[in-house]
Amino acid sequence: MKARYMDHIVDHGNILDDVKKGKPVVWMNPDLKSFEEVEATLPLSGPDVLDADRNWSRLAPLLSQLFPELAHCEGRIESDLVDVSSMLEALGLRADAGAILVKSDHSLPVAGSIKARGGIYEVCMHAWDLALRKGLLSATDDPILLTGEKCRAFFSSHGIAVGSTGNLGLSVGIAARALGFNAIVHMSSDAKKWKIDRLNNIGVDVVQHDADYGAAVDRARNVAELDPQTYFVDDERSELLFLGYSAAALHLKRQILDKGIVVDALHPLFIYLPCGIGGAPGGIAFGAKQVFGEHVHCFFVEPVQAPCALVQLMHGLDEPVSVYDFGLKNTTEADGMAVAQVSMFVARMMRNLVSGVITVQDDDLYRWLYLAKKHQNFQLEPSAASCFAGPICLNKSECGRKYVQDLGLDHGFENVSHVLWTTGGDLVPSESFEGFYMRGKELFQSPGN
Ligand SMILES: *Cc1c(COP(=O)(O)O)cnc(C)c1O
């Protein structure tokens, strides 16, 4: 059977109407500028990304000690880059649709999602900073000393709080507890039960809110502000999170070189990043622009009912807007992306750097989740599967084809390398995954998919 996803996408110039109706769209950013032009206007720069990478290296021995699963990879929290071009046909694409590579953050060690890059980085950097300021170690000491008795005792009288739809809570909670902090995770109503159970099991204090992600973050921030011993990981504003994510681009570059993949004007890299609050995709896109400059093109992917980055970028940045303002519901099975209002910090960083935004329906997430398991044995969560929309939507939409034409690519997508960033899935319990898989299989086999 031939897959025919997204064949219904046509560009009739009135994207906002489709957005409001909850239909999938491909939106090209009219404010996209060359990186050279934009770089100097941004609050963060190339050296910040290099610093983050250096910090990760310095933290590596500590991380190996805290998490034995990192011993075989020298304490680096990294994922494989896998060529899945053999899936082109299953995805309903032609052989000349470009190479398809998966950046497998669904199997990132320790936290099983892209949030390991941000959450673990911020928690470790905070612990390091706290210990330095208290004089428990000196600037030249190896941060592995943070596992010493004195530091642990000190951290046990301090808290780390975060608001989350699930995965950031997992990553921050796991790192905070491993270092001996008290951890408080405020969960939105989207949070899956297994994520909450897992946190409870390692002694994290989970507060469940009957409210959306933005409200959970606000409450977490308010509670943390009242307690000077508690540090708040602010998913909506944190530069540390953003930079922790950004370092991924340097590793990606090494992987691309190792695979002998050329990236230049005639062989561009297109990266598709599932987007919630924006920190993870924004940080990685920012890092990728530092590393690949004009030759990388970053697209965010969002659920049709929660396209918060899309509505903000379409609206302009003078005031924050939410998907509710556009009559949308912020309901989706992609819990990692159930965010109604994008981070304004990220929106400002991305305004001129993101090439476009693609929106997806939940049913398609399950179909791709099924295909990724069947063809590659990947275990994805629904949010992570959204990146499969990337090469499909660009190849099949008029605006996508025009985008590559405007790059001067005579052979269309043939020489494009598509990088699909699969953001999470490894920790999903097998019973839940089996349910996702069966649902995807049924949807895939139902007529008219
Ligand atoms: C958090 C998350 C995202 C989106 O990252 P943001 O920083 O919220 O934009 C995407 N996929 C998964 C699986 C996530 O956990």
Side-chain angles (χ1 to χ4, degrees):
M1 180 182 352
K2 279 269 183 300
R4 295 183 49 243
Y5 312 105
M6 307 279 175
D7 275 356
H8 50 289
I9 290 186
V10 283
D11 315 288
H12 47 61
N14 202 353
I15 286 187
L16 188 57
D17 263 2
D18 280 355
V19 171
K20 287 179 178 164
K21 286 182 194 147
K23 291 187 180 172
V25 300
V26 183
W27 176 79
M28 295 298 178
N29 180 8
D31 294 321
L32 177 65
K33 292 190 181 153
S34 81
F35 183 55
E36 249 180 10
E37 204 179 324
V38 178
E39 198 180 2
T41 68
L42 300 175
L44 296 171
S45 63
D48 295 318
V49 179
L50 295 176
D51 273 350
D53 189 54
R54 261 192 299 272
N55 289 333
W56 271 119
S57 297
R58 285 199 67 191
L59 292 171
L62 167 70
L63 291 169
S64 287
Q65 170 134 346
L66 293 177
F67 307 108
E69 60 185 296
L70 294 177
H72 74 281
C73 48
E74 284 98 40
R76 286 307 291 238
I77 296 181
E78 260 308 336
S79 68
D80 292 339
L81 181 68
V82 186
D83 192 324
V84 303
S85 299
S86 59
M87 286 180 74
L88 279 167
E89 194 184 336
L91 293 169
L93 290 170
R94 297 187 346 189
D96 62 358
I100 315 244
L101 301 147
V102 163
K103 180 66 177 147
S104 317
D105 275 13
H106 62 277
S107 62
L108 269 188
V110 184
S113 84
I114 194 167
K115 299 300 192 306
R117 299 183 182 280
I120 294 173
Y121 181 74
E122 176 150 358
V123 168
C124 289
M125 291 302 288
H126 167 64
W128 196 0
D129 178 59
L130 210 56
L132 284 174
R133 281 193 284 133
K134 179 75 180 173
L136 292 172
L137 76 183
S138 75
T140 50
D141 283 336
D142 191 303
I144 198 166
L145 297 181
L146 297 175
T147 59
E149 246 168 70
K150 267 193 208 150
C151 286
R152 276 195 90 80
F154 179 59
F155 295 153
S156 72
S157 60
H158 288 76
I160 297 185
V162 68
S164 173
T165 59
N167 284 342
L168 186 63
L170 270 181
S171 139
V172 167
I174 289 169
R177 292 300 295 144
L179 285 161
F181 286 96
N182 300 309
I184 310 105
V185 173
H186 294 259
M187 288 289 200
S188 69
S189 53
D190 315 278
K192 296 279 184 261
K193 184 171 176 301
W194 68 265
K195 294 182 184 177
I196 294 166
D197 292 345
R198 206 170 167 118
L199 286 170
N200 280 324
N201 285 343
I202 56 168
V204 173
D205 185 4
V206 181
V207 185
Q208 280 178 266
H209 295 279
D210 187 20
D212 77 358
Y213 162 85
V217 172
D218 279 347
R219 286 183 213 169
R221 189 186 289 118
N222 292 339
V223 175
E225 263 167 15
L226 297 175
D227 178 2
Q229 303 292 83
T230 295
Y231 176 83
F232 181 56
V233 175
D234 197 333
D235 202 12
E236 291 179 321
R237 302 173 192 173
S238 166
E239 289 189 2
L240 268 181
L241 280 179
F242 190 87
L243 289 170
Y245 292 121
S246 75
L250 294 160
H251 189 254
L252 176 67
K253 179 165 190 180
R254 286 191 286 276
Q255 290 177 312
I256 296 232
L257 286 174
D258 286 348
K259 285 196 179 303
I261 298 168
V262 177
V263 178
D264 62 20
L266 295 177
H267 304 82
L269 204 59
F270 282 43
I271 306 186
Y272 308 99
L273 296 148
C275 176
I277 189 69
I284 288 172
F286 178 69
K289 283 286 178 185
Q290 297 290 344
V291 169
F292 299 105
E294 295 309 291
H295 308 319
V296 68
H297 305 268
C298 301
F299 293 85
F300 288 179
V301 188
E302 301 191 292
V304 287
Q305 286 294 334
C308 60
L310 174 61
V311 296
Q312 189 68 61
L313 291 168
M314 284 181 101
H315 181 80
L317 300 186
D318 294 341
E319 53 173 353
V321 291
S322 85
V323 302
Y324 304 124
D325 299 329
F326 292 79
L328 297 169
K329 297 197 177 68
N330 189 26
T331 47
T332 171
E333 302 279 333
D335 49 316
M337 305 155 87
V339 177
Q341 197 171 312
V342 77
S343 154
M344 287 306 278
F345 161 63
V346 173
R348 289 194 187 96
M349 292 290 287
M350 286 298 115
R351 167 163 213 175
N352 306 120
L353 295 184
V354 72
S355 291
V357 182
I358 294 162
T359 62
V360 292
Q361 283 168 322
D362 281 5
D363 279 357
D364 283 331
L365 302 182
Y366 287 104
R367 292 186 175 109
W368 297 323
L369 180 149
Y370 160 72
L371 288 177
K373 174 70 183 173
K374 183 173 166 224
H375 292 267
Q376 303 293 333
N377 203 23
F378 291 159
Q379 176 170 313
L380 307 183
E381 56 184 279
S383 301
S386 65
C387 56
F388 279 87
I392 299 172
C393 286
L394 286 207
N395 269 283
K396 293 194 174 183
S397 62
E398 268 168 51
C399 60
R401 288 190 294 266
K402 179 165 184 308
Y403 189 93
V404 289
Q405 238 170 39
D406 291 348
L407 293 176
L409 300 182
D410 295 338
H411 300 281
F413 287 92
E414 196 170 1
N415 293 327
V416 170
S417 295
H418 304 276
V419 175
L420 281 52
W421 214 288
T422 52
T423 44
D426 242 20
L427 297 190
V428 174
S430 49
E431 318 84 73
S432 307
F433 183 75
E434 183 67 13
F436 295 160
Y437 178 82
M438 291 314 293
R439 184 161 166 194
K441 187 172 179 184
E442 268 167 40
L443 283 163
F444 186 75
Q445 290 170 348
S446 68
N449 69 68

